[in-house]
């Protein structure tokens, strides 16, 4: 069975900033990389006025397809929940919003993808969802549950990783005057200490792929967005390395921290 990786995130653009380099690197090494996206970003907003009026879900779906092509990974699979928004835009009345979804039903949809692509490795959000977005927390919970249940359906995933940010990287990203969602984020809550980093992946050779994928999300990286206003100094650490904590493993780690998500992972699984 070929090496396969499944990434599970909530919205188009979640894949690019924190692990786009790792996904591109894995694909270049021959890994079959699949991205499952819970929503089409229905509750977001267009941050690039030059695009005019856009059908946001359709635009964000196409942006994600373009981003996946830039990373060299498979076209995305959408799990058809709706974005929940956050803060004053929280869509509590939308029955299809992630926050209103049956957690086990979301796990079931992820397990269907697992049965099809048979990944040895999964990647998703950390327990704080990077910055606490409700949909990120749903993705974390559902992906973790699917990983735990994968053996029960005969497709045991060997490793689960969480995208994680170090204190120093988070402080660099915030800069002297944090913008948008970066405001008020306490590194002691949303970042991790070095001891929790199970894998640190060098992505410098894939920085261009990552930047192209990030910029493909035009509605999310426009001049009115936090991403669109990040300086080179803020972005540089994220173009050099990507860090992951360990969500779970069915195989021993050969060393710590790892330099590749597949270190010590066997390529075949019993059917």
């Amino acid at each position: 069975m070929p090496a396969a990786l499944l990434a599970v995130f909530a919205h188009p653009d979640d894949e690019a900033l924190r692990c786009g380099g790792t996904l591109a690197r894995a694909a270049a090494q021959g890994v079959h990389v699949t991205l499952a996206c819970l929503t089409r970003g229905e509750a977001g907003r267009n941050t690039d006025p030059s695009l005019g009026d856009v059908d946001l879900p359709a635009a964000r779906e196409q942006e994600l397809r373009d981003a996946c092509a830039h990373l060299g990974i498979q076209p995305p699979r959408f799990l058809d929940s709706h974005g929940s928004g956050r803060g004053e835009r929280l869509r509590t009345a939308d029955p299809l919003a992630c926050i209103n979804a049956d957690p086990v039903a979301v796990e079931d949809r992820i397990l269907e993808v697992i049965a099809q692509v048979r990944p040895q490795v999964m990647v998703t959000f950390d327990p704080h969802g990077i910055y606490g977005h409700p949909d990120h927390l749903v993705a974390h919970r559902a992906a973790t549950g699917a990983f735990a249940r994968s053996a029960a359906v005969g497709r045991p995933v060997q490793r689960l990783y969480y995208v994680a940010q170090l204190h120093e990287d988070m402080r660099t990203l915030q800069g002297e005057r944090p913008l948008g969602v970066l405001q008020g984020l306490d590194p002691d809550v949303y970042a991790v200490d070095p001891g929790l980093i199970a894998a640190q992946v060098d992505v410098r050779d894939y920085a261009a792929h990552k930047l192209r994928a990030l910029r493909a999300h035009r509605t999310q990286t426009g001049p009115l967005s936090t991403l669109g206003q990040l300086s080179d100094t803020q972005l540089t650490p994220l173009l050099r390395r990507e860090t992951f904590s360990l969500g779970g493993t069915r195989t021993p780690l050969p060393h710590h921290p790892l330099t590749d998500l597949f270190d010590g992972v066997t390529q075949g699984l019993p059917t």
Side-chain angles (χ1 to χ4, degrees), residues 29-75:
Q29 293 172 338
V31 177
H32 185 98
V33 180
T34 302
L35 171 63
C37 191
L38 269 60
T39 80
R40 289 173 171 79
E42 294 83 355
R45 60 190 182 95
N46 176 22
T47 66
D48 187 347
S50 71
L51 297 175
D53 292 330
V54 297
D55 179 340
L56 193 62
R60 295 193 72 182
E61 175 177 338
Q62 186 58 52
E63 288 171 351
L64 185 56
R65 293 185 184 280
D66 293 343
C68 288
H70 288 309
L71 296 175
I73 69 176
Q74 300 297 310

Side-chain angles (χ1 to χ4, degrees), residues 215-226:
R215 290 167 180 163
H217 296 286
R218 291 187 61 192
T219 61
Q220 304 304 297
T221 59
L224 303 181
S225 71
T226 301

Side-chain angles (χ1 to χ4, degrees), residues 127-152:
H128 291 102
I130 293 296
Y131 61 89
H133 193 297
D135 292 344
H136 295 188
L137 300 177
V138 171
H140 162 80
R141 161 67 179 79
T144 302
F147 169 79
R149 289 174 58 198
S150 62

Side-chain angles (χ1 to χ4, degrees), residues 250-265:
R250 289 183 168 92
T251 57
L253 303 183
H255 48 88
H256 189 278
L258 307 171
T259 57
D260 186 285
L261 301 189
F262 281 82
D263 284 351
V265 170

Side-chain angles (χ1 to χ4, degrees), residues 1 118 153-156 268-271:
M1 188 183 303
R118 302 187 180 189
V153 296
R155 296 288 182 265
L269 288 172
T271 59

Side-chain angles (χ1 to χ4, degrees), residues 64-146:
L64 185 56
R65 293 185 184 280
D66 293 343
C68 288
H70 288 309
L71 296 175
I73 69 176
Q74 300 297 310
R77 299 185 182 218
F78 292 94
L79 303 189
D80 296 330
S81 290
H82 286 179
S84 305
R86 59 188 182 89
E88 70 279 0
R89 295 187 295 112
L90 192 65
R91 298 185 172 189
T92 55
D94 182 352
L96 295 180
C98 279
I99 56 170
N100 294 323
D102 177 351
V104 174
V106 181
E107 288 179 18
D108 287 341
R109 294 201 292 272
I110 296 171
L111 285 169
E112 290 174 4
V113 180
I114 289 173
Q116 293 163 5
V117 305
R118 302 187 180 189
Q120 294 88 19
V121 168
M122 287 178 62
V123 177
T124 191
F125 290 110
D126 71 309
H128 291 102
I130 293 296
Y131 61 89
H133 193 297
D135 292 344
H136 295 188
L137 300 177
V138 171
H140 162 80
R141 161 67 179 79
T144 302

